[in-house]
Amino acid sequence: MNGSLYRLASRTATGVALCLAGALTLTASPAAAQGPGPASADPLARYHRQHLDWKSCRLGPDDATGEELRQAGAQCADVTVPLNYDEPDGRTLTVAISRIRATDTAHRVGALLLNGGGPGGQTIGDPPWVRAAMKQVGERYDVVGVDPRFVGRSTPLDCHWPTGSFIRGAGSGRSGLDRSVAVAEDLADRCRATRGDVLPYVTTRNTARDMDVVRAALGERRISYLGYSYGTYLGQVYATMFPGRTDRVVLDGVVTADHYSPRLLRGTEPANRHALRGWAAWAAGRDAAHGLGRTPGQVLATVERIQAAAGRSPLRVGGYRVDEQVLPVVLLNGLSQDNDAAYADLARAVRDLRRAADGRTVTPSPWLADALGFLLTGSDSAYGSGQTAILCGDVAAPRSPEVYRRDVERSRAAYPLFGPVTNNIGPCAFWDPPRERPTTVRDDLPALLVNATGDPRTTYENARSLRRTWPSSHLVTLRGADQHAVYGVFGSACADATVNGYLATGRLPAADVTCDRPSG
């Protein structure tokens, strides 16, 4: 299970990928001034010119990610970066990277840096499947996965939370939001008490600065970039802070800067309702296998009955107690990938939850067990801690609980299942103010944008909005799919070929491209 917000963890990711957007003004930084030059002119010279010690990515016999990287021919290295770019001679961090080198060196384009989203998601393991999606054009690139600062194999951040995500529903009454306020404040307090010294530096802008150190340490004048979900926002910030240092840029599952904020899911309610109805139609067509109802309406009624039961008393699912604040997050978590495998996982989970609502003893299916373990234990505390620190460090959130209470009540009327989730309070309401202003993203980037029309996390309107903002870019639309992240993930030959054509030639399509969902 992948507990991310805007995250693509693998080709079959089914995590809670949520919607971000927002940015205001750009402030200068040492890293944004000049590229590598004479040591006296470059305050970051020791970082830009560092020697990278490439080694095996496999950390031990149980390291599945490392083994996959090894089999793909990747090597790994640690890049040293400053904690605070205003004090480059001070405390340092490590940023972990992986690389599959180009084999067609005669036609080498350069390095393609990856970010799979989150924020806070690991990317170091992504080069093998991205390299496969690139087909022959991948031979011309060094494909580089980067775990951002305080993520994955980079210098870690863990606030020792009892959960892997701050996201919860507000429940059905006033007491539900009151509980949400208490939980959010407790999570913020834990981070302040355990890692308050680094929290001001856990930001997208600093991640972009780290990317430019990686670029220089790799010996590249410019980098190409492939970002998914939150990674599309990171790509926009990097290209804005370091103009002229990007070559070919692909942004898949678009996050727009004017909506990026800690209130990640606001505005995605219609798309998530549409995705839920699409899943219900799929499940109704397979009632013999899953038994959730023979019509979409019956399937949705089953979901409503489970939510009502959880509101009366938490459902016992294995060793977990699932209440009305957790249940809609589980459902939301199953709605980012539009394929039979992901839909079947969600159907089995709903069947288990229905049995629990009926008072039966339930051993959760593997997907549901992973989802509940992520939400209700501290096994992925580091993920939730890092993700939240990035969001809170980037953009300030409203501080008054009454703002959230008002928004929850307004949304609940139209979207009773997901509205209390998408508008609920989080730890950023209790975080210290961001150290820097958000980035005012440039409006002239020539990039290839990719989005599905039914994306329930980074909605299609985001991509259309950015396309209007960037007339020098073009948009690849996957029509008829409730899918988050398309290239190399969904299986659209049309979309994949368009992206690969751009990566091969550096030329955007002559016009926007629309790809229909494959039949069958």
Side-chain angles (χ1 to χ4, degrees):
M1 139 108 189
N2 151 21
S4 64
L5 306 183
Y6 276 141
R7 164 88 177 125
L8 176 67
S10 71
R11 294 173 63 90
T12 58
T14 56
V16 185
L18 314 185
C19 178
L20 315 180
L24 304 176
T25 59
L26 174 64
T27 58
S29 73
Q34 298 292 330
S40 60
D42 181 9
L44 300 176
R46 73 183 180 105
Y47 300 103
H48 288 154
R49 298 177 179 179
Q50 65 186 287
H51 171 76
L52 300 183
D53 180 19
W54 293 100
K55 56 195 174 185
S56 171
C57 299
R58 192 166 180 258
L59 301 180
D62 298 325
D63 180 10
T65 297
E67 176 60 19
E68 185 177 0
L69 286 164
R70 186 194 68 78
Q71 291 182 11
Q75 289 187 306
C76 289
D78 289 332
V79 180
T80 302
V81 299
L83 171 68
N84 178 1
Y85 277 84
D86 289 333
E87 299 178 1
D89 294 327
R91 185 174 170 184
T92 64
L93 309 170
T94 59
V95 170
I97 66 174
S98 60
R99 179 178 67 178
I100 300 175
R101 303 202 71 169
T103 54
D104 184 358
T105 55
H107 303 95
R108 183 180 181 274
V109 175
L112 176 70
L113 268 63
L114 313 177
N115 184 277
Q122 284 190 259
T123 301
I124 200 168
D126 290 350
W129 70 260
V130 172
R131 173 66 182 76
M134 295 172 75
K135 298 184 177 177
Q136 189 172 357
V137 70
E139 298 172 2
R140 300 171 56 195
Y141 284 87
D142 291 353
V143 183
V144 181
V146 182
D147 276 355
R149 57 171 52 201
F150 299 111
V151 170
R153 297 189 182 189
S154 297
T155 297
L157 171 71
D158 189 347
C159 301
H160 305 294
W161 283 3
T163 179
S165 175
F166 69 85
I167 300 170
R168 294 291 188 276
S172 56
R174 187 176 185 89
S175 62
L177 187 70
D178 291 341
R179 291 196 302 275
S180 294
V181 169
V183 169
E185 186 170 16
D186 174 65
L187 296 178
D189 288 346
R190 289 173 186 252
C191 280
R192 189 176 296 109
T194 58
R195 300 309 308 271
D197 59 328
V198 302
L199 293 182
Y201 311 105
V202 191
T203 66
T204 297
R205 288 178 61 80
N206 278 328
T207 297
R209 294 175 178 124
D210 295 345
M211 283 174 55
D212 202 58
V213 170
V214 171
R215 173 200 60 78
L218 291 172
E220 304 288 343
R221 293 187 61 83
R222 296 195 300 170
I223 56 171
S224 294
Y225 180 79
L226 169 62
Y228 291 90
S229 201
Y230 159 81
T232 68
Y233 176 67
L234 172 61
Q236 294 168 57
V237 171
Y238 178 81
T240 297
M241 293 178 66
F242 301 97
R245 296 188 188 168
T246 57
D247 184 2
R248 302 165 198 190
V249 175
V250 180
L251 306 180
D252 188 329
V254 175
V255 176
T256 52
D258 59 330
H259 291 104
Y260 175 80
S261 84
R263 305 189 72 184
L264 304 170
L265 286 173
R266 292 192 76 207
T268 66
E269 300 92 348
N272 278 287
R273 181 175 64 182
H274 183 273
L276 182 66
R277 289 173 173 173
W279 166 80
W282 180 95
R286 294 158 179 80
D287 183 58
H290 300 291
L292 300 177
R294 288 177 289 182
T295 68
Q298 290 175 351
V299 175
L300 293 172
T302 297
V303 171
E304 292 170 1
R305 182 166 70 84
I306 295 167
Q307 175 70 355
R312 292 189 295 271
S313 178
L315 310 180
R316 294 186 177 275
V317 182
Y320 302 106
R321 292 169 61 86
V322 181
D323 62 19
E324 62 176 346
Q325 295 181 293
V326 169
L327 180 64
V329 181
V330 173
L331 298 173
L332 193 75
N333 198 28
L335 293 175
S336 68
Q337 301 295 292
D338 185 347
N339 61 62
D340 287 346
Y343 278 2
D345 282 338
L346 181 57
R348 284 187 285 267
V350 171
R351 185 177 59 193
D352 290 343
L353 292 163
R354 184 188 62 188
R355 290 171 175 167
D358 292 338
R360 299 169 64 180
T361 300
V362 175
T363 299
S365 63
W367 182 89
L368 180 58
D370 285 349
L372 295 178
F374 175 79
L375 291 169
L376 298 175
T377 75
S379 60
D380 283 292
S381 166
Y383 178 86
S385 302
Q387 178 178 85
T388 306
I390 295 168
L391 294 168
C392 302
D394 282 347
V395 182
R399 304 192 76 85
S400 171
E402 292 308 311
V403 170
Y404 302 91
R405 193 182 309 278
R406 178 200 66 204
D407 291 344
V408 164
E409 292 305 322
R410 286 177 177 174
S411 183
R412 191 197 309 277
Y415 307 101
L417 184 62
F418 294 133
V421 177
T422 58
N423 291 275
N424 201 14
I425 196 168
C428 296
F430 303 97
W431 218 262
D432 292 340
R435 186 171 179 266
E436 296 184 84
R437 297 178 184 179
T439 306
T440 298
V441 167
R442 59 187 287 184
D443 60 5
D444 62 344
L445 184 68
L448 186 62
L449 315 177
V450 186
N451 227 94
T453 55
D455 188 334
R457 299 296 176 265
T458 53
T459 63
Y460 184 56
E461 182 51 40
N462 286 344
R464 295 206 298 175
S465 174
L466 191 60
R467 172 66 180 88
R468 289 190 293 268
T469 302
W470 289 353
S472 55
S473 298
H474 283 99
L475 172 62
V476 180
T477 297
L478 174 61
R479 184 164 54 191
D482 298 331
Q483 170 71 24
H484 181 54
V486 175
Y487 172 68
V489 181
F490 183 71
S492 168
C494 167
D496 290 358
T498 304
V499 172
N500 285 339
Y502 168 59
L503 292 175
T505 65
R507 294 189 298 272
L508 290 166
D512 291 345
V513 175
T514 297
C515 301
D516 289 320
R517 180 194 182 109
S519 59

